[in-house]
Amino acid sequence: MPLKVGILGTGTIGGILAAALDQGRVEAKLVALCDQDRGRAEALSASLSSKPPVVSMSALLEICDFVVEAASQAALPEFVPQAISRGRDMLIMSVGGLLGHEEWFRKAQEKGCRIYIPSGAIAGLDGIKSASMGQIDSVSLTSRKPVAALAGTKYVIERGLQLDGMAGETIIFEGSAEEAAAAFPSTSNVAAVLRFAVEPSVAVRVRVVAVPGGNRNVHEIRAEGEFGRLAVTVENVPSNANPRTSQLAAFSALATLMNIAKSVRVGT
Ligand SMILES: NC(=O)c1ccc[n+]([C@@H]2O[C@H](COP(=O)([O-])OP(=O)(O)OC[C@H]3O[C@@H](n4cnc5c(N)ncnc54)[C@H](O)[C@@H]3O)[C@@H](O)[C@H]2O)c1
């Protein structure tokens, strides 16, 4: 029996996953879609050959074995506890929304369900995870983002930052992964992914740099410890539909789903 998959959030990432499932690229069946914008979910369903039904969140959780969240951090307080109480395995894209809710991990463990957190728009998590089996002295993430991807974010609006007038690359944020995810809920999920990849006692320092005229989301991860040193840079192409979401993030969700559905897995 193929895995029965449901998707919450039928935007950029949800749409790419739904199309891949519809094309038979994953050994799983797309059985339902849900979005707070019902028209969007219906339009996606109509574009697919399998025409999955558009349902409520509770129906989604009832009929699917596996649920993908590709909606928003705001969706998590309702979605995750319900998915856990039904014992559903889930893939979470709005990873920043998991920070401060580590009790969900404990409850998922008790219920025997799994929470998958894809690498998203960064690379090198295999090395970071292996490195964290020993002593880690420092971990940092520097995200260089085009002004277009930062404009309209909560942090930029609240601080009244004038990004258009910047003469060159400017550091607009420095802080912890938790602070980054709270300041940039729709663009700093990668900081949260990195946070969860290492022990809670290891500080993850984050810098966000605004790049006037930039057209890529560039993430640079550095770590140092007992294992040696690691430096990984990814230059991400923003997706066509959403400049805040890198193509690699959507591909990473798809690769995770493929991995779950397959019997052979490669990599850490
Ligand atoms: N982990 C990562 O590396 C990474 C990378 C990129 C994006 N993301 C996150 O993944 C999520 C999806 O990204 P996207 O680019 O597909 O976004 P998008 O804006 O293109 O689509 C999101 C969809 O979810 C729906 N939605 C939002 N809140 C909802 C709710 N509470 N209930 C039901 N539907 C809801 C919206 O109506 C929209 O259709 C976002 O939270 C984004 O920040 C994570």
Side-chain angles (χ1 to χ4, degrees):
M1 276 284 278
L3 196 65
K4 288 191 281 177
V5 177
I7 300 177
L8 177 77
T10 56
T12 312
I13 296 174
I16 289 171
L17 289 180
L21 285 158
D22 199 53
Q23 290 155 11
R25 291 182 65 192
V26 185
E27 289 163 40
K29 191 170 174 336
L30 179 61
V31 296
L33 298 173
C34 173
D35 199 294
Q36 65 186 10
D37 179 346
R38 195 180 170 90
R40 195 169 198 186
E42 279 168 355
L44 177 63
S45 175
S47 73
L48 303 172
S49 58
S50 64
K51 313 272 179 262
V54 174
V55 299
S56 66
M57 190 189 289
S58 60
L60 186 86
L61 290 166
E62 193 176 326
I63 59 185
C64 303
D65 311 317
F66 188 93
V67 280
V68 174
E69 178 282 324
S72 60
Q73 288 192 20
L76 265 50
E78 190 185 352
F79 178 74
V80 176
Q82 282 192 45
I84 294 172
S85 69
R86 287 187 177 271
R88 299 294 183 234
D89 288 348
M90 69 198 93
L91 183 158
I92 299 292
M93 287 310 294
S94 307
V95 189
L98 294 172
L99 288 167
H101 289 285
E102 284 74 8
E103 81 278 5
W104 290 341
F105 298 171
R106 190 179 33 77
K107 286 185 179 148
Q109 184 80 27
E110 283 165 15
K111 265 282 192 183
C113 54
R114 299 210 164 112
I115 300 176
Y116 292 91
I117 301 175
S119 309
I122 52 174
L125 278 191
D126 52 348
I128 295 275
K129 277 161 57 184
S130 303
S132 65
M133 297 297 108
Q135 167 76 27
I136 295 199
D137 301 323
S138 66
V139 179
S140 68
L141 167 72
T142 302
S143 297
R144 290 190 164 73
K145 294 174 188 261
V147 160
L150 291 166
T153 56
K154 184 172 161 255
Y155 183 82
V156 167
I157 293 169
E158 280 176 6
R159 306 254 158 160
L161 299 179
Q162 298 302 318
L163 301 180
D164 287 338
M166 284 175 175
E169 286 197 9
T170 308
I171 298 171
I172 61 164
F173 172 89
E174 278 186 292
S176 67
E178 288 82 351
E179 288 163 349
F184 301 94
S186 56
T187 60
S188 274
N189 290 292
V190 290
V193 172
L194 200 52
R195 166 74 280 161
F196 289 126
V198 296
E199 292 296 319
S201 56
V202 177
V204 176
R205 305 305 300 165
V206 180
R207 245 191 221 170
V208 177
V209 183
V211 183
N215 59 2
R216 300 212 161 168
N217 293 313
V218 181
H219 298 294
E220 184 186 338
I221 294 167
R222 289 183 175 269
E224 204 165 335
E226 192 184 334
F227 72 99
R229 247 187 238 158
L230 174 152
V232 181
T233 303
V234 191
E235 292 186 21
N236 284 301
V237 174
S239 62
N240 290 331
N242 183 351
R244 298 197 175 116
T245 289
S246 302
Q247 283 284 27
L248 190 65
F251 293 162
S252 149
L254 180 54
T256 303
L257 196 53
M258 279 182 173
N259 227 2
I260 292 162
K262 271 186 186 168
S263 46
V264 177
R265 294 176 195 187
V266 182
T268 306

